[in-house]
Amino acid sequence: MATARPADWQPPRGLLLALAASLILAGLPQLLRQPAVLTLLWLVLLGWRLALAWQGRPSPSTWLRLLLTAAGVGLILVEYGAFFGREPGSALLVFLSIMKFVELRRPRDAQLLIFLGYFMLGVAFLFSQSLWLGAWLVLAVWALTSVWVTLSDPRRPLPTRRHARLAGRLLLGAVPLLLLLFLLFPRIPGPLWSLPGDAHSGVTGLSDSMEPGRISELAGSEAVAFRVQFDGPPPPPAQRYWRGPVLALTDGRRWEVRPVRAGQRLTSTAHAGRVLEPRGEPVRQTLTLEPHNQVHLLALDRPASVPDGAWLRPDLQLISEARVRLRQRYQVVSYPRVGVAASAPGRRDITRGYPADLDPRVLALARGWRAAADSPQAVIDQALRHFNQENFIYTLTPPRLGANPVGEFLFETRRGFCEHYAAAFTLLMRAAGLPARVVTGYLGGEYNAAGDYLIVRQSDAHAWAEVWLAEEGWVRVDPTTAIAPERIESRIEVGASRDSGAVRFWADGTRGWQRALQQMRQTWDAFNHRWNQWVLDYGPERQRDFLSALGLPDVSWRGLGLTLLLLLIPLLALLAWWILRPRETARDPAVRLYRTFCRRLHRHGIRPQPGETPRQLLLRIRQTRPALAPAAGRVIQRYQLLRYRRRPPRDALEALRRAVRAFR
Amino acid sequence: MHPFIAPVFSALNGIILGKEQSLRLALACLLARGHLLVEDLPGVGKTTLAHALAAVLGLDYQRIQFTSDLLPADILGISIFDRESGRFRFHPGPVFAQLVLADEINRATPKTQSALLEAMEEGQVTLEGTTRALPEPFFVIATQNPTYQIGTFPLPESQLDRFLMRLHLGYPDTAAERELLAGVSRRELIRDQAPLLDPQQLAELQAAVARIHASPALLDYIQALLAASRDSGHYRSGLSPRAGLALLQAARAWVLIDGRDHVLPDDIQAVLAAVVGHRLQPRDADGLAPETLLEPLLAVEIP
């Protein structure tokens, strides 16, 4: 005996296809991100349900669906090892959505799927907030809304262009609300919710330590490190050294930042000004730093001011008080040269130290130079000459180094990237008795004419050295320039260099298509930068600025939220009233005009009574307000003509409109 | 006023004094091919009205005095065996006239009443298997005496519905009454009155009524009135669709008299009391008084 279950809803095929397509649109970010096995399962389930519908068969039984769900959930558990967290959570959502699609047996299910689609799109923003995704969202929301409109149209069960147009109009109508909420929705300082830890695992950037090979890893990345806008003209390429972690501690292989006591922190610009002695012209810059999950901030060498929420180390490294997990904007004033009003490093300072097991050949080489030179500057020159004249090669793929990396590099392999040269040079200086340290950061940057800013990528990562000279303080020495001088002027060409290991540099305008490509990239980046600047970075501060520009007092986000709520409630009430108000059934324009006339009569103290015919009204006007009678008579005569005559003249409506307008 | 009707109207006004509105309604009722019920005290001129209408319009006229022993055959006619021809011959009753005055219709038995009412409705009389058409035009004026109800058979509501209009004549005003007293006998006036319309003209006028334009807006108004009568809660039962048709037809005739070609809400209101008054009863005894019975309808918003 057949079960007495009510017959399942069989959605029209066209609607089912549209629903499937919009689900693919909504789920695509996750489908591309998750393991291929899950995506494959998803697509198979989708196709299966479509095939069932094509054969006119009902959705699978509850048991089969439960089994499939368990299998899918198990697969997610195997792939991710957990249900909680951004990745598995999102995968679970997308998988369960397709199971709902398989179940689809009521119009309500389809409606729910639409909402799930919206939700999936929202979740996609937990992973990326790029312009691309924003554009994708608009497309997908439009598709989902179109299907929704189709679902709500009892007369046309299949998607039509009319539905898409209506959906488009609905979305356009929502734009003012979107802008309003974007501008006024309270921005909470810090992330709204704390993202799970894996959110930052893939973030690249300079780290606080350096080992051979670490920076050359970065050289393969085109990711943006930060963008800089200058108040004046950008500094010449030779001065575009972006100062990052300063490394003074070493065991001969690994370089680390030296610890700093709390008392040595320069916490404000004024504070820094007492210690630093700026020389030369200041360079004012605004940096937009991509999140790198570290505490250091970058600035043009050498920073002399301290942005909010940061402090300056005595070795002139800017440190943020919190790890940089969101894109951050800050302003810094830098001077090409800064004297530190402190005495020379002490005799036992770590900037003089080298490991006890330093290769004796290194020690011998350095001491030889020291003995031959008559000044510290001469030692530096000798070292650079050494790199330049001996057979050293600048390469992205240096051979692996053993337990004694500096010695092996200097005397055997002689192939290295900037960190090899910086490390070797610093140790040579220390062996020669000069205080020295490694500075990591970035060198160069691409000037974007479209947006008037400098863009610095991970591939611009660099390491150089600083040597203490008694008269001048810490002096920047970049040993890489001795081997590959073009590194300063040009950017490393990523990609081509990966396999061969040979470093190739971008040369401006060598070939036409290269130039066009570069220009396109720059325009796109400028666009992206604006998006970041005006949309993604619209945080609490910017909101406060915006509100105060509107003349609103400084309100907290709580106050703002409350105000928004209080504003919204009467607004919604008004909207509800407007929608539910007793409708004027009068579709006839003549009646609307006549009502306008009646309202104007009311101002004269004459109120049309219920059931009073226009003619009776006119009689009353003649009796009570004879002065109004001629004008009122014209209105009433034309109104009656329009409403009750067999074929009113063509211009009668216009005549009535004129008469009503003339009646004041 | 319509050029054909203006002389008719002024002649009638000369005979029946101070009753312009009632005369106009009675004329409208006739032109709309309806029948008229006059409800009033004896002696206020009901018979005179019927007589005067017949004389002015050149209609042949019959009066039937209804009594409790009146039989249908007394109205409709009877077949009598004719010895000379050896066949039954039909002797038409008084109903075979163009204008019939059914005086004190509520005195007759329901059987006799319904004989007349069926003739009114059908426009023909069927006796012994033979159908005989009534003359054209055919107009019945029935009168009722509302005060002496002993031994009467009041018309049921369903029968009242057959009358397009019900009028109250009422007492004449002082000036009109003085003129009546001072002037010549009404009977003589009627006798001397020459017909002002021929049957052809009357038929044309009746046909012209149907051509009066009623706009959608006006039909909306009639529907609003019908809906209000049904929903207002003031009446025992709402107006029937036939009442709506009657209202429209009467208003059209009213417009024709006025010499226009389209109906206005004013025309509906002008005929409303006459057309609707006898079709509505107040919901309960202490509800609306007869004078204010139609106030809820007159207050209906004109769409």
Side-chain angles (χ1 to χ4, degrees), chain B residues 47 50-51 54-55 59-66 74-75 92-103 116 134-135 138-142:
Chain B
T47 315
H51 233 131
L59 304 173
D60 64 286
Y61 168 75
Q62 282 285 357
R63 174 181 170 175
I64 311 168
Q65 177 63 50
F66 277 50
D74 298 333
I75 299 172
V95 77
F96 287 90
Q98 287 174 314
L99 200 161
V100 177
L101 174 65
D103 220 355
L116 175 70
L134 289 165
F138 178 65
F139 184 48
V140 174
I141 299 177

Side-chain angles (χ1 to χ4, degrees), chain A residues 588 591 595 609-616 639-640 643-647, chain B residues 211 213 215 217-218 260 262-266 269 298-303:
Chain A
D588 189 342
V591 175
R595 296 216 169 128
Q609 300 298 312
E612 190 173 32
T613 66
R615 200 188 256 186
Q616 290 161 357
Y639 174 64
Q640 288 191 340
R643 289 286 280 172
Y644 301 112
R645 283 287 278 272
R646 191 186 298 274
R647 269 181 289 275
Chain B
R211 291 197 295 270
H213 177 65
S215 69
L218 188 97
R260 277 181 286 124
H262 58 278
V263 188
L264 290 177
D266 304 81
Q269 292 189 356
L298 286 170
V300 168
E301 197 76 50
I302 297 166

Side-chain angles (χ1 to χ4, degrees), chain A residues 577-632:
Chain A
W577 172 81
W578 180 253
I579 290 169
L580 300 174
R581 79 198 187 281
R583 286 296 172 115
E584 294 234 344
T585 43
R587 299 214 158 231
D588 189 342
V591 175
R592 286 203 294 272
L593 284 168
Y594 186 67
R595 296 216 169 128
T596 311
F597 165 70
C598 287
R599 279 196 293 276
R600 289 183 180 174
L601 268 183
H602 194 60
R603 288 206 298 251
H604 290 286
I606 297 169
R607 196 197 171 107
Q609 300 298 312
E612 190 173 32
T613 66
R615 200 188 256 186
Q616 290 161 357
L617 181 65
L618 181 58
L619 278 176
R620 197 151 62 88
I621 295 170
R622 284 210 181 108
Q623 283 158 12
T624 54
R625 303 288 297 272
L628 294 174

Side-chain angles (χ1 to χ4, degrees), chain A residues 270-289:
Chain A
H271 189 181
R274 283 202 297 275
V275 185
L276 303 176
E277 189 186 309
R279 293 176 202 165
E281 285 295 307
V283 179
R284 287 170 206 284
Q285 65 211 290
T286 305
L287 273 102
T288 310
L289 182 63

Side-chain angles (χ1 to χ4, degrees), chain A residues 129-137 524 528 531:
Chain A
Q129 297 96 38
S130 74
L131 201 49
W132 289 118
L133 190 64
W136 185 260
L137 172 97
W524 169 246
N528 223 351
W531 166 260

